[in-house]
Amino acid sequence: MSTPVLDVRGLAYAYPDGHQALFGVDLHVHRGERVALLGPNGAGKTTLVLHLNGILAAGAGTVAVSGLPVAKEHLQEIRRRVGVVFQDPDDQLFLGSVRADVAFGPHNLGLRGAELDARVMTALEQVGMAEHVDRPPHHLSFGQRRRVAVATVLAMQPEVLVLDEPSSNLDPASRRELADILRSLDVTVLMVTHDMPYALELCERSVILHDGTIVADGSTRDLLTDDALMARHRLELPYGFDPRTVGPAPGRAPAPAAPAGPTG
Amino acid sequence: MHVPDGFFDAPTSAATAVVAASAIGTSLYLARRRELDDRTAPLAGLVAAFVFATQMLNFPVAGGTSGHLMGGALAAVLVGPATAILCLSVVFLVQALLFADGGITALGTNILLMGVVTVLVGYGVFRVLQAVLPKRASLVPLLAGLGALVSVPAAALVFVGLFEVGGTVDVPLGTLASAMLGVHVLIGIGEAVITAAAVAAILKVRPDLVHGARRLPTATPLVVRTSPVATPAAPAAPTGGEA
Amino acid sequence: MGAGHGHRLHFHGHSALHRAAAHHKVLALLGFMLVVVATPRGWWWAYLAEGVLLGGVVLASRVPLGFLARRMVVETPVLVFAALLPLIAHGERVDVLGLSLSRSGLEGAALLLVKATFGVVAGLTLAATTEPQALLAGLARLRLPHQLVQIAAFMVRYLDVVTDEMRRMRVAREARGFTARDPRHWGVLARSVGALFIRSYERGERVHLAMLARGYDGRIPLDLDRPQAPAVAPRGHGHAHGHAHEHAAAPVPALLTAPAEHA
């Protein structure tokens, strides 16, 4: 078997105030997979995400990215390999223009000049935001800001894209556009979400994190249709949504219905 | 109120600017060494935005008048004196340049009065009391409030002193001092109550954020297990592997 | 938003003043106001000249006078203080409408009002003709310490976000029938202040995390908001926007303008 892109073993972590959030997490994600990370509030999902690129350091256990252990001496390379898109795009877009925000990551990786410009434009084209390159991020709509936030990470050409609640606060059209974008990317994805239909649509596989441990790992459809499992871990499907009656999730990259055009 | 252009004569404005600049220089040095690291810019920027927002918060004092929070003592207790001076200085800079609130020639004066004096006096009182009284986290809000209480009239007094030296109008010292003190003791009480209650509210939720209440982090041994803790209703069966 | 801090101080325009470099404008404001502050009492012709000069600059900026006038509310506290001066100042008294006023107080108040008004008008003109981002770049050029510029940059970026959170909390209080009328309500205001601090600080932490996640090493490059590559040949569409930088805004390479053109 190939080296997993994400290889988390026995990860435990307690915050400085003594609150322990992770109790021995094991998780392996392989190249090209799209995996949904499900779990109730307070399950430790965000804490786990912060370990994947070394923002938090494991209290016990190990995290490796394509074989490279997450440790102080490799942080720069780890952060290039693991791109994290945070939940609130306002946290991620902190500079004065879309261009500056997207350029920030690759600039830190040492890119300069034309190469940097090309990286920025490629990433913005991938999310359909190229024409907004010179606008201040706070003048964009929420859905546009979320897409730019994805571009800030894509510009670093990560091996794995980690998204924290990518569909939250999006209107249905923006939500669908983002799904098209994510499907079109040729990159491993780990997606933290409460949005079960989104998980089913985008991810073949899901894992459930509850109380700081992985309690289930399998095909998204199997997990979502296991009523006892779902109830035990405080997971619920939205009203009217039945994963048994939903057709098979589209495969990778049926060329996205160009997420073009300003949505206002 | 923010001191406008023309309130103090040019030498006084220049002198206060020099004092403010050296206070900022010292704070830059100390903040880098003691309080923050590479987090300085984003955190201090957000704290500055917070101070700016709280200065927009008017609180009713008496007889239809209202004061607004100065926030010097509050910021000092929350993020430490050096970072607080940097944040407040940036607030006054942005207010002067982007909002024309406070004259540009009076920028040094405003930073000195409402940034440096309130922070140093407020934090000084807080620290002295903390050294004298028993070291208990429950006292932190009270002490912060007392620091705020003293810091506002102290700034008013420094203002009166500056006015005596470099004011552009000849006002009797006693009249000015008593008028300024009277008003600012009242505002100080409001500032004190709000500072104390705000610090108490923050201590309840994020005690680690209150600089003035920092304790050594307690090292708790990590627990490693592979299933969720038992919930009261149904003891969770381990569900490892596939579902 | 309250307290005289209207948030849209910048007035979009293309006058010579809009195009002037931010650091030149800041220096001009500072120099002008130093001269105003140092102008001795009684040199009325000098004040007149300063007023004419300032008026000319304001007209040249083509910022509507009503736009500036509405924003002059920041001067209100100064008016109150100036009104008190004739009552409390020393010296020879004069009777005006039955009030015994100090002549030096009256003069001082008039002088203060003139100087403060010049300051507010000049400051508002700077703010109206300069984008906040350009102003920050200008401060950096004036050698303001890097760290202060960055704190200011983050503050400006998140000002609306934070004041908006405060406004939402006020609306939530008022929706439940609460308005702060007297000191008994301080406690409620204080809890809002505490909550606002936690939200602001936690956002600061999250912003910092998002920066770390992209390889932040403690320095933020300030020149990323324009294309980095040296231009090969000038192409038409690089509409050099507003602020003048040290390198004149580089014409946008063809590759980069292509997607924007059909938009």
Side-chain angles (χ1 to χ4, degrees):
Chain A
M1 201 163 203
S2 66
T3 315
V5 179
L6 286 178
D7 188 359
V8 180
R9 290 166 196 260
L11 179 65
Y13 179 78
Y15 282 96
D17 66 357
H19 166 72
Q20 187 168 346
L22 299 178
F23 293 84
V25 170
D26 288 297
L27 176 67
H28 313 284
V29 177
H30 289 272
R31 183 164 311 280
E33 275 192 297
R34 279 201 299 263
V35 179
L37 179 60
L38 313 176
N41 286 336
K45 301 187 297 287
T46 303
T47 311
L48 173 58
V49 165
L50 295 180
H51 279 87
L52 300 179
N53 65 354
I55 286 171
L56 295 180
T62 58
V63 180
V65 180
S66 297
L68 186 69
V70 174
K72 242 198 166 78
E73 59 269 29
H74 307 135
L75 275 189
Q76 197 76 350
E77 175 61 14
I78 291 291
R79 284 173 185 164
R80 187 196 69 70
R81 292 185 184 186
V82 182
V84 180
V85 180
F86 291 88
Q87 184 172 354
D88 185 345
D90 276 332
D91 296 343
Q92 196 136 6
L93 308 177
F94 52 86
L95 291 171
S97 73
V98 167
R99 181 192 304 280
D101 266 312
V102 178
F104 178 74
H107 183 275
N108 287 334
L109 297 179
L111 264 67
R112 297 292 185 274
E115 209 186 343
L116 181 57
D117 294 340
R119 218 27 120 71
V120 169
M121 292 318 294
T122 309
L124 284 172
E125 275 156 21
Q126 281 178 290
V127 300
M129 290 294 294
E131 74 238 51
H132 299 290
V133 61
D134 285 318
R135 296 191 57 196
H138 49 278
H139 289 179
L140 302 175
S141 73
F142 191 86
Q144 291 174 323
R145 274 181 280 162
R146 169 83 33 87
R147 275 147 67 181
V148 174
V150 172
T152 64
V153 169
L154 289 180
M156 299 177 76
Q157 300 188 340
E159 289 177 20
V160 54
L161 191 59
V162 180
L163 301 133
D164 196 353
E165 299 286 0
S167 62
S168 62
N169 297 320
L170 292 184
D171 60 40
S174 309
R175 181 175 174 279
R176 199 238 334 126
E177 283 163 4
L178 186 66
D180 291 340
I181 291 166
L182 292 177
R183 253 196 304 272
S184 74
L185 300 174
D186 182 23
V187 61
T188 311
V189 170
L190 179 69
M191 184 172 110
V192 175
T193 189
H194 285 298
D195 185 342
M196 303 298 159
Y198 220 51
L200 182 64
E201 181 185 349
L202 287 168
C203 304
E204 313 78 31
R205 178 184 156 208
S206 290
V207 294
I208 297 177
L209 186 72
H210 192 190
D211 274 337
T213 59
I214 299 284
V215 293
D217 184 342
S219 101
T220 305
R221 189 174 300 268
D222 290 349
L223 261 52
L224 297 193
T225 50
D226 184 338
D227 297 338
L229 174 78
M230 294 283 284
R232 202 156 53 234
H233 302 299
R234 296 186 49 79
L235 296 174
E236 281 188 20
L237 301 173
Y239 177 77
F241 171 73
D242 185 353
R244 292 170 190 87
T245 62
V246 177
R252 184 175 292 279
T263 51
Chain B
M1 110 184 163
H2 289 20
V3 175
D5 287 307
F7 207 95
F8 294 116
D9 60 22
T12 310
S13 303
T16 52
V18 170
V19 177
S22 44
I24 292 171
T26 313
S27 303
L28 277 172
Y29 175 76
L30 289 178
R32 254 193 301 252
R33 291 230 2 230
R34 297 226 203 114
E35 289 163 13
L36 294 165
D37 33 49
D38 63 337
R39 301 182 304 160
T40 304
L43 279 179
L46 262 299
V47 171
F50 158 77
V51 170
F52 180 93
T54 56
Q55 289 193 351
M56 286 162 60
L57 188 77
N58 286 296
F59 57 85
V61 180
T65 60
S66 69
H68 73 74
L69 217 57
M70 290 206 203
L74 178 63
V77 171
L78 291 177
V79 296
T83 309
I85 286 177
L86 295 182
C87 293
L88 286 156
S89 302
V90 166
V91 169
F92 294 119
L93 175 74
V94 170
Q95 282 173 341
L97 289 179
L98 284 182
F99 297 93
D101 196 5
I104 189 167
T105 60
L107 183 57
T109 315
N110 280 317
I111 291 177
L112 178 65
L113 285 173
M114 289 184 283
V116 179
V117 171
T118 56
V119 166
L120 290 185
V121 171
Y123 196 72
V125 168
F126 173 79
R127 268 297 186 218
V128 167
L129 290 174
Q130 213 175 30
V132 178
L133 295 168
K135 286 172 187 41
R136 262 185 299 170
S138 56
L139 279 177
V140 167
L142 177 68
L143 305 188
L146 291 173
L149 179 67
V150 181
S151 71
V152 177
L157 272 185
V158 175
F159 173 87
V160 171
L162 286 180
F163 201 85
E164 190 58 22
V165 178
T168 45
V169 184
D170 187 15
V171 174
L173 184 60
T175 318
L176 184 66
S178 52
M180 286 294 286
L181 273 185
V183 173
H184 284 87
V185 163
L186 278 180
I187 296 180
I189 294 173
E191 176 109 4
V193 172
I194 293 183
T195 299
V199 170
I202 296 164
L203 272 177
K204 233 180 271 170
V205 188
R206 288 283 311 262
D208 56 313
L209 295 194
V210 181
H211 176 90
R214 285 226 172 121
R215 292 284 177 275
L216 290 173
T218 48
T220 333
L222 285 171
V223 184
V224 175
R225 54 177 167 69
T226 49
S227 64
V229 285
T231 46
T239 11
E242 63 108 72
Chain C
M1 242 149 277
H5 287 143
H7 265 183
R8 300 277 164 253
L9 282 191
H10 180 254
F11 185 85
H12 188 75
H14 300 280
S15 72
L17 212 59
H18 280 85
R19 287 195 307 272
H23 60 288
H24 292 157
K25 285 187 271 190
V26 172
L27 285 180
L29 172 67
L30 184 60
F32 175 72
M33 287 318 299
L34 280 175
V35 171
V36 169
V37 169
T39 307
R41 173 187 297 227
W43 291 25
W44 296 109
W45 55 269
Y47 286 104
L48 188 67
E50 288 158 6
V52 169
L53 176 63
L54 179 59
V57 171
V58 170
L59 289 180
S61 75
R62 306 221 198 104
V63 176
L65 296 182
F67 182 92
L68 292 180
R70 273 197 303 283
R71 281 153 184 81
M72 289 195 63
V73 289
V74 290
E75 209 189 335
T76 318
V78 183
L79 298 183
V80 175
F81 193 89
L84 291 176
L85 277 180
L87 297 172
I88 59 173
H90 269 311
E92 184 193 339
R93 315 299 284 187
V94 287
D95 279 342
V96 179
L97 301 173
L99 288 171
S100 167
L101 303 179
S102 148
R103 179 183 294 280
S104 78
L106 276 174
E107 271 180 24
L111 215 56
L112 170 62
L113 279 184
V114 168
K115 291 179 177 181
T117 306
F118 284 2
V120 171
V121 171
L124 286 174
T125 308
L126 170 76
T129 58
T130 317
E131 297 259 19
Q133 292 301 326
L135 195 57
L136 293 169
L139 291 175
R141 287 216 60 183
L142 293 174
R143 303 281 167 83
L144 191 73
H146 188 68
Q147 208 145 13
L148 286 185
V149 176
Q150 306 227 312
I151 295 174
F154 279 98
M155 176 186 165
V156 168
R157 164 67 180 86
Y158 289 104
L159 208 50
D160 283 348
V161 176
V162 171
T163 50
D164 207 46
E165 276 173 353
M166 194 175 74
R167 188 185 52 75
R168 284 203 302 271
M169 283 195 266
R170 195 191 64 223
V171 170
R173 286 197 303 267
E174 287 173 1
R176 283 172 282 165
F178 175 89
T179 25
R181 257 175 262 97
D182 63 60
R184 279 174 302 158
H185 297 139
W186 287 351
V188 178
L189 293 182
R191 277 195 292 284
S192 298
V193 170
L196 188 67
F197 174 76
I198 292 174
R199 288 186 198 186
S200 306
Y201 198 94
E202 289 184 342
R203 185 180 292 279
E205 291 179 315
R206 291 198 307 272
V207 171
H208 179 245
L209 292 184
M211 293 167 71
L212 285 183
R214 284 188 277 152
Y216 174 56
D217 57 4
R219 283 191 81 79
I220 302 166
L222 282 168
D223 61 344
L224 291 179
D225 53 359
R226 55 179 184 277
Q228 303 291 299
V232 187
R235 307 280 294 219
H237 309 278
H239 148 163
H241 200 76
H243 44 263
H245 288 282
E246 44 203 301
H247 327 272
V252 185
L255 163 75
L256 307 188
T257 41
E261 270 167 29
H262 71 266

